[in-house]
Amino acid sequence: MRHQCLLLAVCGWAVFMLLFVSKFITLNLRDKEEYGTKPHILDKTVTNNLKKTKPQEQTFHTDKPAESTSNELDPHWDAVHAERLNLLKNVCQNASLRNLTYSPITKFVLDRIFVCDKHKILFCQTPKVGNTQWKKVLIVLNGEFKSIKDIPEPLIHNHERNGLPRLSSYSEPEITKRLTTYFKFFIVRDPFERLISAFKDKFLKNPRFEPWYKHNIAPAIIQKYRRNRTETKGLQFDDFIRYLGDPNHKWLDVKIGEHIIHWATYVELCAPCEIEYNIIGHHETLEKDAPYILKKAGMSNLVSYPPIPPGITAYNRTKVEQYFSRIGKREIKRLHARFQGDFKLFGYDEPEFLLN
Ligand SMILES: *[C@@H]1O[C@H](CO)[C@@H](O)[C@H](O)[C@H]1NC(C)=O
Ligand SMILES: *[C@@H]1O[C@H](CO)[C@@H](O)[C@H](O)[C@H]1NC(C)=O
Ligand SMILES: *[C@@H]1O[C@H](CO)[C@@H](O)[C@H](O)[C@H]1NC(C)=O
Ligand SMILES: *[C@@H]1O[C@H](CO)[C@@H](O)[C@H](O)[C@H]1NC(C)=O
């Protein structure tokens, strides 16, 4: 009897300590893929960042989590987000824009949505906006790994093994239950700047070395969409834009498969008019949106979003002008026609400076 009591007490203590420790996981890795930090200098970067920045930006102190949370949040941010959702609703309801805003909830969409059952959160993946960071946050929250540092790099995108399942892996009633009751969010950014970012990341720099972009996808796009037959270099931005703006781009999308997530519209990726998301974050205001999302999802006492390198999220019109300066007006208009839904739904200014 005495032994059993003792055992119980020891187990209780162990469980308590585990809970205690897991409460204060801190997440402070830069995103190698999306922010271009080299893997082997990562730890050093993190340590330096920790030294330089104020502690409450990275971690929540055990004694006053509520205070550090409120410090980070702009009191007007509720209104900003309410306005975003209101705009989304209005544009979704506009019948004349239905073509541009409707997307059925297909397996492709369900594949994009990641499930955190433990905290009842759904996250739709939209590359080039700090998504890998959110995935890491959710992987840790799901409990498969104790901290971000423990997640092996190859596992971050391996959803069979990282404890962050896709919504498509559930049965239909389970999917419906989650879609109707969980907290749902995703992040967007200016549609054209996003395409530039995808082009640079996948076809120019390709930092994670994914050879299929250069060796399979680029030649397929060039074969169909290259105008300048004397050009022998790899995929050029104008080839890419002609592919994206082609109303008949679907046949090539099918050949390319899941990799199109880097340039498919947000409408196609997340079905924002069919799924009632709670929050739409903007990459341009990620510094405020990340802590806001964590708070609204009830995670802000568990984790904080990793530090965001300064200047990385701001919209850069000069860059957009530069990239599009060699693209014909007709081609830009075709591209805009396809991405117009994303501009309207998420309140991005129409790129008049490119169209007129
Ligand atoms: C629907 O969208 C069109 C095109 O942007 C716009 O002209 C029209 O005013 C919108 N209708 C409503 C009811 O908002
Ligand atoms: C809108 O959809 C209809 C039918 O689905 C189609 O005939 C029409 O061409 C589409 N319009 C645009 C601008 O895509
Ligand atoms: C076609 O590509 C070649 C090789 O890069 C270049 O010298 C030439 O100016 C290009 N022609 C046009 C019309 O862009
Ligand atoms: C904007 O983009 C241009 C061209 O790519 C670059 O030279 C400039 O440094 C960028 N501006 C900022 C503030 O990042």
PDB file of all heavy atoms in Angstrom, residues 317-342:
ATOM      1  N   ARG A 317       7.557  47.947 -53.967  1.00  0.00           N
ATOM      2  CA  ARG A 317       7.015  48.275 -55.282  1.00  0.00           C
ATOM      3  C   ARG A 317       8.106  48.353 -56.347  1.00  0.00           C
ATOM      4  O   ARG A 317       7.894  47.947 -57.496  1.00  0.00           O
ATOM      5  CB  ARG A 317       6.257  49.611 -55.191  1.00  0.00           C
ATOM      6  CG  ARG A 317       5.713  50.035 -56.528  1.00  0.00           C
ATOM      7  CD  ARG A 317       4.754  51.190 -56.419  1.00  0.00           C
ATOM      8  NE  ARG A 317       4.655  51.856 -57.720  1.00  0.00           N
ATOM      9  CZ  ARG A 317       3.727  52.732 -58.034  1.00  0.00           C
ATOM     10  NH1 ARG A 317       2.817  53.066 -57.132  1.00  0.00           N
ATOM     11  NH2 ARG A 317       3.703  53.287 -59.217  1.00  0.00           N
ATOM     12  N   THR A 318       9.275  48.852 -55.938  1.00  0.00           N
ATOM     13  CA  THR A 318      10.405  48.949 -56.879  1.00  0.00           C
ATOM     14  C   THR A 318      10.730  47.572 -57.463  1.00  0.00           C
ATOM     15  O   THR A 318      10.966  47.428 -58.663  1.00  0.00           O
ATOM     16  CB  THR A 318      11.647  49.497 -56.159  1.00  0.00           C
ATOM     17  OG1 THR A 318      11.252  50.653 -55.440  1.00  0.00           O
ATOM     18  CG2 THR A 318      12.748  49.824 -57.127  1.00  0.00           C
ATOM     19  N   LYS A 319      10.727  46.586 -56.599  1.00  0.00           N
ATOM     20  CA  LYS A 319      11.040  45.229 -57.049  1.00  0.00           C
ATOM     21  C   LYS A 319       9.979  44.731 -58.037  1.00  0.00           C
ATOM     22  O   LYS A 319      10.303  44.166 -59.081  1.00  0.00           O
ATOM     23  CB  LYS A 319      11.111  44.292 -55.833  1.00  0.00           C
ATOM     24  CG  LYS A 319      11.519  42.879 -56.186  1.00  0.00           C
ATOM     25  CD  LYS A 319      11.755  42.028 -54.960  1.00  0.00           C
ATOM     26  CE  LYS A 319      10.452  41.691 -54.267  1.00  0.00           C
ATOM     27  NZ  LYS A 319      10.649  41.022 -52.962  1.00  0.00           N
ATOM     28  N   VAL A 320       8.720  44.972 -57.708  1.00  0.00           N
ATOM     29  CA  VAL A 320       7.634  44.537 -58.586  1.00  0.00           C
ATOM     30  C   VAL A 320       7.759  45.229 -59.944  1.00  0.00           C
ATOM     31  O   VAL A 320       7.651  44.590 -60.996  1.00  0.00           O
ATOM     32  CB  VAL A 320       6.260  44.821 -57.931  1.00  0.00           C
ATOM     33  CG1 VAL A 320       5.118  44.464 -58.880  1.00  0.00           C
ATOM     34  CG2 VAL A 320       6.115  44.032 -56.635  1.00  0.00           C
ATOM     35  N   GLU A 321       8.042  46.538 -59.921  1.00  0.00           N
ATOM     36  CA  GLU A 321       8.201  47.282 -61.179  1.00  0.00           C
ATOM     37  C   GLU A 321       9.352  46.723 -61.997  1.00  0.00           C
ATOM     38  O   GLU A 321       9.242  46.542 -63.213  1.00  0.00           O
ATOM     39  CB  GLU A 321       8.446  48.770 -60.883  1.00  0.00           C
ATOM     40  CG  GLU A 321       7.161  49.517 -60.626  1.00  0.00           C
ATOM     41  CD  GLU A 321       7.397  50.932 -60.123  1.00  0.00           C
ATOM     42  OE1 GLU A 321       8.487  51.216 -59.574  1.00  0.00           O
ATOM     43  OE2 GLU A 321       6.483  51.759 -60.258  1.00  0.00           O
ATOM     44  N   GLN A 322      10.460  46.430 -61.314  1.00  0.00           N
ATOM     45  CA  GLN A 322      11.625  45.893 -62.008  1.00  0.00           C
ATOM     46  C   GLN A 322      11.312  44.571 -62.712  1.00  0.00           C
ATOM     47  O   GLN A 322      11.598  44.402 -63.894  1.00  0.00           O
ATOM     48  CB  GLN A 322      12.744  45.647 -60.995  1.00  0.00           C
ATOM     49  CG  GLN A 322      13.935  46.566 -61.155  1.00  0.00           C
ATOM     50  CD  GLN A 322      14.894  46.392 -59.988  1.00  0.00           C
ATOM     51  OE1 GLN A 322      15.075  45.272 -59.487  1.00  0.00           O
ATOM     52  NE2 GLN A 322      15.502  47.475 -59.565  1.00  0.00           N
ATOM     53  N   TYR A 323      10.716  43.672 -61.975  1.00  0.00           N
ATOM     54  CA  TYR A 323      10.439  42.357 -62.543  1.00  0.00           C
ATOM     55  C   TYR A 323       9.464  42.417 -63.718  1.00  0.00           C
ATOM     56  O   TYR A 323       9.590  41.663 -64.669  1.00  0.00           O
ATOM     57  CB  TYR A 323       9.925  41.395 -61.466  1.00  0.00           C
ATOM     58  CG  TYR A 323      11.044  40.602 -60.839  1.00  0.00           C
ATOM     59  CD1 TYR A 323      11.799  41.143 -59.796  1.00  0.00           C
ATOM     60  CD2 TYR A 323      11.385  39.342 -61.310  1.00  0.00           C
ATOM     61  CE1 TYR A 323      12.846  40.429 -59.234  1.00  0.00           C
ATOM     62  CE2 TYR A 323      12.424  38.625 -60.765  1.00  0.00           C
ATOM     63  CZ  TYR A 323      13.153  39.169 -59.716  1.00  0.00           C
ATOM     64  OH  TYR A 323      14.190  38.472 -59.186  1.00  0.00           O
ATOM     65  N   PHE A 324       8.479  43.331 -63.609  1.00  0.00           N
ATOM     66  CA  PHE A 324       7.468  43.375 -64.654  1.00  0.00           C
ATOM     67  C   PHE A 324       7.828  44.325 -65.793  1.00  0.00           C
ATOM     68  O   PHE A 324       7.095  44.423 -66.767  1.00  0.00           O
ATOM     69  CB  PHE A 324       6.102  43.735 -64.053  1.00  0.00           C
ATOM     70  CG  PHE A 324       5.433  42.554 -63.384  1.00  0.00           C
ATOM     71  CD1 PHE A 324       5.594  42.322 -62.031  1.00  0.00           C
ATOM     72  CD2 PHE A 324       4.660  41.663 -64.125  1.00  0.00           C
ATOM     73  CE1 PHE A 324       4.998  41.228 -61.416  1.00  0.00           C
ATOM     74  CE2 PHE A 324       4.063  40.571 -63.526  1.00  0.00           C
ATOM     75  CZ  PHE A 324       4.228  40.348 -62.168  1.00  0.00           C
ATOM     76  N   SER A 325       8.960  45.022 -65.668  1.00  0.00           N
ATOM     77  CA  SER A 325       9.293  46.053 -66.656  1.00  0.00           C
ATOM     78  C   SER A 325       9.503  45.450 -68.047  1.00  0.00           C
ATOM     79  O   SER A 325       9.317  46.134 -69.049  1.00  0.00           O
ATOM     80  CB  SER A 325      10.542  46.828 -66.213  1.00  0.00           C
ATOM     81  OG  SER A 325      11.642  45.950 -66.167  1.00  0.00           O
ATOM     82  N   ARG A 326       9.875  44.177 -68.122  1.00  0.00           N
ATOM     83  CA  ARG A 326      10.119  43.589 -69.432  1.00  0.00           C
ATOM     84  C   ARG A 326       8.971  42.695 -69.901  1.00  0.00           C
ATOM     85  O   ARG A 326       9.096  41.963 -70.883  1.00  0.00           O
ATOM     86  CB  ARG A 326      11.442  42.818 -69.422  1.00  0.00           C
ATOM     87  CG  ARG A 326      12.638  43.782 -69.406  1.00  0.00           C
ATOM     88  CD  ARG A 326      13.976  43.061 -69.338  1.00  0.00           C
ATOM     89  NE  ARG A 326      14.025  41.825 -70.100  1.00  0.00           N
ATOM     90  CZ  ARG A 326      14.387  40.645 -69.589  1.00  0.00           C
ATOM     91  NH1 ARG A 326      14.712  40.536 -68.324  1.00  0.00           N
ATOM     92  NH2 ARG A 326      14.414  39.577 -70.347  1.00  0.00           N
ATOM     93  N   ILE A 327       7.863  42.767 -69.188  1.00  0.00           N
ATOM     94  CA  ILE A 327       6.694  41.960 -69.563  1.00  0.00           C
ATOM     95  C   ILE A 327       5.690  42.857 -70.289  1.00  0.00           C
ATOM     96  O   ILE A 327       5.432  43.977 -69.852  1.00  0.00           O
ATOM     97  CB  ILE A 327       6.004  41.368 -68.315  1.00  0.00           C
ATOM     98  CG1 ILE A 327       7.012  40.785 -67.328  1.00  0.00           C
ATOM     99  CG2 ILE A 327       4.942  40.350 -68.717  1.00  0.00           C
ATOM    100  CD1 ILE A 327       7.634  39.490 -67.716  1.00  0.00           C
ATOM    101  N   GLY A 328       5.128  42.365 -71.380  1.00  0.00           N
ATOM    102  CA  GLY A 328       4.156  43.144 -72.137  1.00  0.00           C
ATOM    103  C   GLY A 328       2.865  43.387 -71.359  1.00  0.00           C
ATOM    104  O   GLY A 328       2.484  42.574 -70.515  1.00  0.00           O
ATOM    105  N   LYS A 329       2.211  44.524 -71.671  1.00  0.00           N
ATOM    106  CA  LYS A 329       0.964  44.892 -70.985  1.00  0.00           C
ATOM    107  C   LYS A 329      -0.109  43.816 -71.135  1.00  0.00           C
ATOM    108  O   LYS A 329      -0.837  43.496 -70.207  1.00  0.00           O
ATOM    109  CB  LYS A 329       0.415  46.208 -71.566  1.00  0.00           C
ATOM    110  CG  LYS A 329       1.160  47.450 -71.115  1.00  0.00           C
ATOM    111  CD  LYS A 329       0.564  48.012 -69.823  1.00  0.00           C
ATOM    112  CE  LYS A 329       1.231  49.313 -69.429  1.00  0.00           C
ATOM    113  NZ  LYS A 329       2.567  49.123 -68.825  1.00  0.00           N
ATOM    114  N   ARG A 330      -0.177  43.273 -72.311  1.00  0.00           N
ATOM    115  CA  ARG A 330      -1.216  42.271 -72.575  1.00  0.00           C
ATOM    116  C   ARG A 330      -1.015  41.054 -71.666  1.00  0.00           C
ATOM    117  O   ARG A 330      -1.969  40.498 -71.128  1.00  0.00           O
ATOM    118  CB  ARG A 330      -1.136  41.866 -74.052  1.00  0.00           C
ATOM    119  CG  ARG A 330      -2.271  40.955 -74.478  1.00  0.00           C
ATOM    120  CD  ARG A 330      -2.288  40.721 -75.984  1.00  0.00           C
ATOM    121  NE  ARG A 330      -3.024  39.493 -76.286  1.00  0.00           N
ATOM    122  CZ  ARG A 330      -2.456  38.293 -76.384  1.00  0.00           C
ATOM    123  NH1 ARG A 330      -1.165  38.161 -76.209  1.00  0.00           N
ATOM    124  NH2 ARG A 330      -3.203  37.230 -76.661  1.00  0.00           N
ATOM    125  N   GLU A 331       0.238  40.686 -71.486  1.00  0.00           N
ATOM    126  CA  GLU A 331       0.530  39.527 -70.639  1.00  0.00           C
ATOM    127  C   GLU A 331       0.273  39.826 -69.165  1.00  0.00           C
ATOM    128  O   GLU A 331      -0.193  38.958 -68.422  1.00  0.00           O
ATOM    129  CB  GLU A 331       1.973  39.066 -70.869  1.00  0.00           C
ATOM    130  CG  GLU A 331       2.066  38.226 -72.124  1.00  0.00           C
ATOM    131  CD  GLU A 331       3.416  38.270 -72.793  1.00  0.00           C
ATOM    132  OE1 GLU A 331       4.359  38.852 -72.214  1.00  0.00           O
ATOM    133  OE2 GLU A 331       3.527  37.735 -73.903  1.00  0.00           O
ATOM    134  N   ILE A 332       0.589  41.056 -68.770  1.00  0.00           N
ATOM    135  CA  ILE A 332       0.321  41.434 -67.372  1.00  0.00           C
ATOM    136  C   ILE A 332      -1.188  41.427 -67.126  1.00  0.00           C
ATOM    137  O   ILE A 332      -1.660  40.976 -66.087  1.00  0.00           O
ATOM    138  CB  ILE A 332       0.919  42.819 -67.033  1.00  0.00           C
ATOM    139  CG1 ILE A 332       2.445  42.788 -67.210  1.00  0.00           C
ATOM    140  CG2 ILE A 332       0.560  43.216 -65.607  1.00  0.00           C
ATOM    141  CD1 ILE A 332       3.143  44.100 -66.952  1.00  0.00           C
ATOM    142  N   LYS A 333      -1.944  41.893 -68.116  1.00  0.00           N
ATOM    143  CA  LYS A 333      -3.402  41.926 -67.961  1.00  0.00           C
ATOM    144  C   LYS A 333      -3.985  40.512 -67.855  1.00  0.00           C
ATOM    145  O   LYS A 333      -4.916  40.276 -67.084  1.00  0.00           O
ATOM    146  CB  LYS A 333      -4.043  42.679 -69.128  1.00  0.00           C
ATOM    147  CG  LYS A 333      -3.860  44.182 -68.962  1.00  0.00           C
ATOM    148  CD  LYS A 333      -4.722  45.002 -69.898  1.00  0.00           C
ATOM    149  CE  LYS A 333      -4.625  46.468 -69.499  1.00  0.00           C
ATOM    150  NZ  LYS A 333      -4.457  47.380 -70.627  1.00  0.00           N
ATOM    151  N   ARG A 334      -3.441  39.617 -68.622  1.00  0.00           N
ATOM    152  CA  ARG A 334      -3.904  38.221 -68.523  1.00  0.00           C
ATOM    153  C   ARG A 334      -3.586  37.627 -67.155  1.00  0.00           C
ATOM    154  O   ARG A 334      -4.396  36.911 -66.557  1.00  0.00           O
ATOM    155  CB  ARG A 334      -3.244  37.366 -69.620  1.00  0.00           C
ATOM    156  CG  ARG A 334      -3.959  37.465 -70.963  1.00  0.00           C
ATOM    157  CD  ARG A 334      -3.040  37.092 -72.098  1.00  0.00           C
ATOM    158  NE  ARG A 334      -2.747  35.664 -72.134  1.00  0.00           N
ATOM    159  CZ  ARG A 334      -3.236  34.822 -73.045  1.00  0.00           C
ATOM    160  NH1 ARG A 334      -4.056  35.256 -73.982  1.00  0.00           N
ATOM    161  NH2 ARG A 334      -2.912  33.557 -73.035  1.00  0.00           N
ATOM    162  N   LEU A 335      -2.395  37.945 -66.687  1.00  0.00           N
ATOM    163  CA  LEU A 335      -2.004  37.460 -65.357  1.00  0.00           C
ATOM    164  C   LEU A 335      -2.937  38.044 -64.292  1.00  0.00           C
ATOM    165  O   LEU A 335      -3.444  37.327 -63.424  1.00  0.00           O
ATOM    166  CB  LEU A 335      -0.556  37.876 -65.046  1.00  0.00           C
ATOM    167  CG  LEU A 335      -0.039  37.402 -63.692  1.00  0.00           C
ATOM    168  CD1 LEU A 335       0.278  35.918 -63.738  1.00  0.00           C
ATOM    169  CD2 LEU A 335       1.197  38.185 -63.258  1.00  0.00           C
ATOM    170  N   HIS A 336      -3.164  39.363 -64.408  1.00  0.00           N
ATOM    171  CA  HIS A 336      -4.036  40.033 -63.451  1.00  0.00           C
ATOM    172  C   HIS A 336      -5.440  39.448 -63.476  1.00  0.00           C
ATOM    173  O   HIS A 336      -6.062  39.256 -62.427  1.00  0.00           O
ATOM    174  CB  HIS A 336      -4.057  41.538 -63.741  1.00  0.00           C
ATOM    175  CG  HIS A 336      -4.978  42.289 -62.842  1.00  0.00           C
ATOM    176  ND1 HIS A 336      -6.143  42.846 -63.281  1.00  0.00           N
ATOM    177  CD2 HIS A 336      -4.925  42.546 -61.512  1.00  0.00           C
ATOM    178  CE1 HIS A 336      -6.761  43.432 -62.260  1.00  0.00           C
ATOM    179  NE2 HIS A 336      -6.045  43.260 -61.175  1.00  0.00           N
ATOM    180  N   ALA A 337      -5.928  39.139 -64.684  1.00  0.00           N
ATOM    181  CA  ALA A 337      -7.272  38.572 -64.790  1.00  0.00           C
ATOM    182  C   ALA A 337      -7.375  37.294 -63.966  1.00  0.00           C
ATOM    183  O   ALA A 337      -8.386  37.038 -63.328  1.00  0.00           O
ATOM    184  CB  ALA A 337      -7.599  38.287 -66.254  1.00  0.00           C
ATOM    185  N   ARG A 338      -6.318  36.517 -63.947  1.00  0.00           N
ATOM    186  CA  ARG A 338      -6.375  35.269 -63.189  1.00  0.00           C
ATOM    187  C   ARG A 338      -6.244  35.504 -61.688  1.00  0.00           C
ATOM    188  O   ARG A 338      -6.881  34.810 -60.894  1.00  0.00           O
ATOM    189  CB  ARG A 338      -5.272  34.329 -63.680  1.00  0.00           C
ATOM    190  CG  ARG A 338      -5.244  33.062 -62.857  1.00  0.00           C
ATOM    191  CD  ARG A 338      -4.476  31.926 -63.452  1.00  0.00           C
ATOM    192  NE  ARG A 338      -4.412  30.868 -62.450  1.00  0.00           N
ATOM    193  CZ  ARG A 338      -3.351  30.134 -62.207  1.00  0.00           C
ATOM    194  NH1 ARG A 338      -2.248  30.295 -62.916  1.00  0.00           N
ATOM    195  NH2 ARG A 338      -3.381  29.220 -61.270  1.00  0.00           N
ATOM    196  N   PHE A 339      -5.424  36.471 -61.298  1.00  0.00           N
ATOM    197  CA  PHE A 339      -5.155  36.670 -59.870  1.00  0.00           C
ATOM    198  C   PHE A 339      -6.021  37.753 -59.234  1.00  0.00           C
ATOM    199  O   PHE A 339      -5.870  38.067 -58.055  1.00  0.00           O
ATOM    200  CB  PHE A 339      -3.667  36.971 -59.654  1.00  0.00           C
ATOM    201  CG  PHE A 339      -2.829  35.716 -59.741  1.00  0.00           C
ATOM    202  CD1 PHE A 339      -2.436  35.205 -60.968  1.00  0.00           C
ATOM    203  CD2 PHE A 339      -2.487  35.019 -58.595  1.00  0.00           C
ATOM    204  CE1 PHE A 339      -1.697  34.026 -61.051  1.00  0.00           C
ATOM    205  CE2 PHE A 339      -1.746  33.840 -58.663  1.00  0.00           C
ATOM    206  CZ  PHE A 339      -1.349  33.346 -59.896  1.00  0.00           C
ATOM    207  N   GLN A 340      -6.938  38.318 -60.021  1.00  0.00           N
ATOM    208  CA  GLN A 340      -7.791  39.403 -59.553  1.00  0.00           C
ATOM    209  C   GLN A 340      -8.571  39.041 -58.287  1.00  0.00           C
ATOM    210  O   GLN A 340      -8.756  39.865 -57.404  1.00  0.00           O
ATOM    211  CB  GLN A 340      -8.770  39.739 -60.678  1.00  0.00           C
ATOM    212  CG  GLN A 340      -9.267  41.143 -60.644  1.00  0.00           C
ATOM    213  CD  GLN A 340     -10.238  41.390 -61.781  1.00  0.00           C
ATOM    214  OE1 GLN A 340     -10.574  40.459 -62.537  1.00  0.00           O
ATOM    215  NE2 GLN A 340     -10.692  42.613 -61.896  1.00  0.00           N
ATOM    216  N   GLY A 341      -9.001  37.790 -58.215  1.00  0.00           N
ATOM    217  CA  GLY A 341      -9.739  37.346 -57.035  1.00  0.00           C
ATOM    218  C   GLY A 341      -8.916  37.528 -55.771  1.00  0.00           C
ATOM    219  O   GLY A 341      -9.411  38.027 -54.753  1.00  0.00           O
ATOM    220  N   ASP A 342      -7.651  37.168 -55.838  1.00  0.00           N
ATOM    221  CA  ASP A 342      -6.776  37.316 -54.673  1.00  0.00           C
ATOM    222  C   ASP A 342      -6.596  38.790 -54.292  1.00  0.00           C
ATOM    223  O   ASP A 342      -6.573  39.133 -53.112  1.00  0.00           O
ATOM    224  CB  ASP A 342      -5.405  36.684 -54.952  1.00  0.00           C
ATOM    225  CG  ASP A 342      -5.435  35.153 -54.872  1.00  0.00           C
ATOM    226  OD1 ASP A 342      -6.511  34.602 -54.570  1.00  0.00           O
ATOM    227  OD2 ASP A 342      -4.380  34.526 -55.106  1.00  0.00           O
TER     228      ASP A 342
END
